[in-house]
């Protein structure tokens, strides 16, 4: 196959990747989009196999990995998607690093002159350090998301912070760049600076992620998504492979946009997320006077209110997913719909552990997506809603976000306080990630239903019968 | 001005344009599908597997070839895992009553 023909096949694959992402603009076209992506990948792999040797050997390696991937894809729980995605980011990062090492070892296998020209060295340096940071950072993120913090402190979901952390990171980054420059200017293979640069990059990945708390995970996972794309693009530069550059840039910009959306939804600046330390002060509630009273009721009381409403909006939070109550909620909604109640769901962008997570969890419970609304689409209608049922959510319905001077001022919220009646299910009066008290709970029209979300919702279902 | 354009410059052109395409395409993705977006971008960035295939290609088996094969394996986990888990999620978004998408469109 001529180099030109190869490049054209790669172009076809690149276009298919763009179409794959474009398909995600609606649930209807998304499956076809995913198919485009698969076809693009098949083209990319097949034409590359056609120009290489050792095909059988490569296919064995691919079969082993592919089998593992397929099994994981089939077995993973939807609540575990954030962990899976973090694990997959780490694999992209590691693959980038391994390829970079192979390039240094034998540039001619990739059609790069040996010794490697300076330009390729620079690109390889960028691709491999981003890959290394992606790998180790994603491993830490995976550990935090998978709840390994109890066994290893490194994976603690509380921020791991120590004095001089930022200075240390900065110094390491400078030293890493210095080794990168040494690799760039070096003669021959220049293994020593390359290896030193990689080692520091791995350490940096760990150090960057450990101070970031559990609440900021949606940003972290999006950020690592972005890094994995830039790593692929960097490798594409050093191999002069435009398809890799295109695919990598698409993924890189996707992750960057998701990070931006998540930051905005949490009212946090990207810089402050990266600097970390957020979520450390959990449990330090704003104890401003004990004169506020909370009205609480049983699941049966709540069911009575729901059954007599005309319109109900359910606000699911991550507490719902933790309690695995999605199916019970769907059952309850069906019962209410059968009684002629209009039931809709309002989703805050950070309702889950990663962007769009809650939508997937509801879809898994077979909640039809035309009942599921994004925050900005439904907020305007909450004023005319009879009952808002908040399940396992706290900060995302905290009206303090509208009050100047509060820690979450400016954060977009689901305006549950506008509804005629508000039902809130929580396990206790504990504060959310932001460490703030929630005035919504003390409003006269609010009734708290304490208990595990699944138990409470199941009791409501029983009461509705 | 004479001479040929350096490949790095061409790469840079492609890169900048691709970032723009990415920017516009991604903003059109519906927020409900952000999780599938992440898993499919994972699969797409695993196209890095072509680099791994080239690394594993040479006949003389040295450690670069072994690393290449390992990279092929890692990337293949993502290629299959990423696309299949995306498909699995998107199946859940399948319509049962075929009316809502017309409202949205």
């Amino acid at each position: 196959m001529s180099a030109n023909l190869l490049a054209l096949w790669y172009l076809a694959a690149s276009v298919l990747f763009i179409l794959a992402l474009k398909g995600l603009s609606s649930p209807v076209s998304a499956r076809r989009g995913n198919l485009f992506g698969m076809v693009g990948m098949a083209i990319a792999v097949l034409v590359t196999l056609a120009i290489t040797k050792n095909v059988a050997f490569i296919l064995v390696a691919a079969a082993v990995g592919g089998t593992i991937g397929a099994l994981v894809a089939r077995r993973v729980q939807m609540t575990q998607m954030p962990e899976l995605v973090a694990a997959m980011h780490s694999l992209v990062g590691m693959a980038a690093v391994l390829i970079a090492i192979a390039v240094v070892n034998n540039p001619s296998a990739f059609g790069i002159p040996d010794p490697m020209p300076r330009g390729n060295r620079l690109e390889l340096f960028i691709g491999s350090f981003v890959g290394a940071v992606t790998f180790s950072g994603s491993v830490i993120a995976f550990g935090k998301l998978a709840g390994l913090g109890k066994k290893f402190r490194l994976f603690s979901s509380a921020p791991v912070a120590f004095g001089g952390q930022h200075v240390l990171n900065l110094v390491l980054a400078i030293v890493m760049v210095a080794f990168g420059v040494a690799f760039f200017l070096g003669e021959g293979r220049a293994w020593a600076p390359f290896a030193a640069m990689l080692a520091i990059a791995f350490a940096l990945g760990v150090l960057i992620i450990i101070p970031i708390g559990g609440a900021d995970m949606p940003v972290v996972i999006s950020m690592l998504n972005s890094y994995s794309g830039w790593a692929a693009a960097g490798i594409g530069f050093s191999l002069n492979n435009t398809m890799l550059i295109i695919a990598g840039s698409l993924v890189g910009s996707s992750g960057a946009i998701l990070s931006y959306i998540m930051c905005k939804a949490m009212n946090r600046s990207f810089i402050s997320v990266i600097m970390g330390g957020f979520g450390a002060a959990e449990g330090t509630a704003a104890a401003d006077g004990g004169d506020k009273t909370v009205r609480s009721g049983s699941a049966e009381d709540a069911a009575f209110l729901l059954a007599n409403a005309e319109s109900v909006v359910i606000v699911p939070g991550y507490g719902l997913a933790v309690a695995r109550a999605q199916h019970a909620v769907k059952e309850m909604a069906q019962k209410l719909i059968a009684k002629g109640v209009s039931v809709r769901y309002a989703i805050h962008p950070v309702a889950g552990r990663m962007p769009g997570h809650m939508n997937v969890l509801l879809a898994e419970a077979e909640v039809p997506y035309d009942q599921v609304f994004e925050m900005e689409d439904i907020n305007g209608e909450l004023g005319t809603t009879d009952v808002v049922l908040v399940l396992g959510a706290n900060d995302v319905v905290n009206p303090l976000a509208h009050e100047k001077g509060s820690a979450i001022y400016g954060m977009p919220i689901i305006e549950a306080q506008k509804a005629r009646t508000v039902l809130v299910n929580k396990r206790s009066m504990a504060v959310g990630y932001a460490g703030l008290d929630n005035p919504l709970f003390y409003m006269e029209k609010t009734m708290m239903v304490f208990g595990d979300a699944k138990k409470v919702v199941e009791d409501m279902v029983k009461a509705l019968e | 001005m004479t001479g040929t354009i350096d490949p790095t410059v061409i790469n840079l052109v492609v890169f900048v344009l691709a970032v723009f395409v990415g920017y516009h395409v991604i903003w059109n993705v519906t927020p409900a599908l952000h999780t599938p977006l992440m898993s499919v971008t994972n699969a797409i960035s695993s196209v890095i597997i072509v680099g791994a295939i080239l690394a594993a290609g040479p006949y003389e088996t040295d450690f670069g070839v072994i690393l290449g094969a390992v990279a092929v394996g890692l990337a293949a986990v993502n290629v299959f895992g990423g696309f299949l888990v995306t498909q699995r999620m998107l199946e859940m978004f399948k319509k049962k009553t075929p009316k809502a998408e017309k409202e949205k469109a």
Side-chain angles (χ1 to χ4, degrees), chain A residues 21-33:
Chain A
L21 297 179
K22 197 167 179 299
L24 289 167
S25 57
S26 121
V28 186
S29 56
R31 266 167 290 136
R32 192 182 52 210

Side-chain angles (χ1 to χ4, degrees), chain A residues 54 73 76 88 105 240 355 370, chain B residues 11 35 58 62 78 88 93 100:
Chain A
N54 272 346
V76 68
M88 299 209 312
N105 177 58
N240 283 328
D370 52 341
Chain B
N11 290 342
T35 297
D62 64 351
N78 267 10
R88 198 178 133 201
F93 281 91

Side-chain angles (χ1 to χ4, degrees), chain A residues 4 22 64 133 151 248 311 313 372 417:
Chain A
N4 285 333
K22 197 167 179 299
V64 173
V133 169
K151 284 179 208 139
S311 52
V313 170
V372 181
Q417 77 278 8

Side-chain angles (χ1 to χ4, degrees), chain A residues 88-271:
Chain A
M88 299 209 312
H89 290 153
S90 76
L91 296 184
V92 176
M94 197 50 171
V97 171
L98 294 179
I99 294 165
I101 298 174
V103 174
V104 176
N105 177 58
N106 182 9
S108 55
F110 301 85
I112 299 170
D114 189 5
M116 216 190 304
R118 297 261 184 267
N120 293 77
R121 280 171 193 260
L122 177 67
E123 293 154 357
L124 199 65
F125 159 58
I126 296 172
S128 52
F129 98 71
V130 178
V133 169
T134 308
F135 170 75
S136 55
S138 299
V139 168
I140 298 295
F142 170 82
K144 283 179 183 250
L145 288 162
L148 301 179
K150 287 175 199 98
K151 284 179 208 139
F152 308 97
R153 193 166 169 267
L154 211 54
F155 295 137
S156 161
S157 74
V160 178
F162 52 88
Q165 198 162 19
H166 300 312
V167 178
L168 175 67
N169 288 354
L170 186 67
V171 170
L172 280 178
I174 292 169
V175 175
M176 184 190 72
V177 171
F179 279 117
V181 171
F183 171 69
F184 172 65
L185 297 173
E187 300 298 329
R189 297 279 187 264
W191 277 117
F194 184 74
M197 180 271 292
L198 270 184
I200 298 174
F202 280 125
L204 262 180
V206 174
L207 289 168
I208 290 172
I209 306 300
I210 51 169
I212 304 181
D216 282 335
M217 275 301 146
V219 179
V220 170
I221 196 165
S222 314
M223 188 177 86
L224 290 166
N225 186 230
S226 181
Y227 288 2
S228 72
W230 302 131
I235 297 296
F237 266 93
S238 41
L239 302 184
N240 283 328
N241 185 323
T242 47
M243 174 184 63
L244 253 177
I245 296 174
I246 294 172
S249 326
L250 291 174
V251 177
S253 36
S254 166
I257 290 173
L258 290 175
S259 313
Y260 170 81
I261 294 174
M262 289 298 109
C263 280
K264 204 147 184 208
M266 293 194 295
N267 198 29
R268 309 255 290 123
S269 81
F270 191 68
I271 299 296

